[in-house]
Amino acid sequence: MNTLGSYKCYCQDGYRAQPDGSCRNARTCYHANCQYGCEVIKGAVRCTCPSPGLRLGPDRRTCVDIDECVSGGGVCPRRRKCVNTFGSFVCKCHLGFKLTYINGRYNCI
């Protein structure tokens, strides 16, 4: 920036002035305010979710659950029902059945 009889340097938006006068990328995970974590790719900060059963919400910072039981991602063995959990799902026996370990396998009996 031109000043009276001199000039002054400023960093562009997203960069921070360093003691040596250079500019450094200010976009870091520390400043991103992500719910779980983030990654920096080519200078851009992107929040991430810790499980494939979660996706970024509309605010692009928090993670929201994907209901695998509705989306078809939660496939349970025969005689078990899918129960959604935050970030995943579990397969439980239907009412009246009990999960039993027989011959090296779990079955609902």
Side-chain angles (χ1 to χ4, degrees):
M1 174 180 275
N2 194 25
T3 63
L4 188 59
S6 187
Y7 66 91
K8 184 165 177 150
C9 295
Y10 293 93
C11 294
Q12 293 180 340
D13 190 33
Y15 291 84
R16 187 176 354 173
Q18 301 301 300
D20 66 358
S22 67
C23 295
R24 183 174 172 202
N25 190 346
R27 294 180 179 117
T28 64
C29 285
Y30 177 78
H31 296 97
N33 197 24
C34 296
Q35 182 180 15
Y36 289 105
C38 76
E39 58 190 3
V40 180
I41 299 174
K42 295 180 182 178
V45 177
R46 180 181 175 274
C47 293
T48 58
C49 296
S51 163
L54 299 172
R55 64 176 168 76
L56 285 178
D59 64 2
R60 309 304 296 161
R61 290 186 183 154
T62 57
C63 297
V64 295
D65 183 54
I66 297 169
D67 190 338
E68 295 88 353
C69 300
V70 172
S71 69
V75 179
C76 293
R78 196 170 145 238
R79 294 193 183 122
R80 294 191 207 173
K81 65 179 176 178
C82 183
V83 178
N84 188 57
T85 61
F86 187 74
S88 190
F89 68 96
V90 294
C91 298
K92 292 191 174 185
C93 294
H94 288 282
L95 192 62
F97 289 82
K98 181 179 177 184
L99 188 63
T100 309
Y101 188 75
I102 301 174
N103 296 328
R105 290 178 33 162
Y106 282 100
N107 288 308
C108 293
I109 297 175

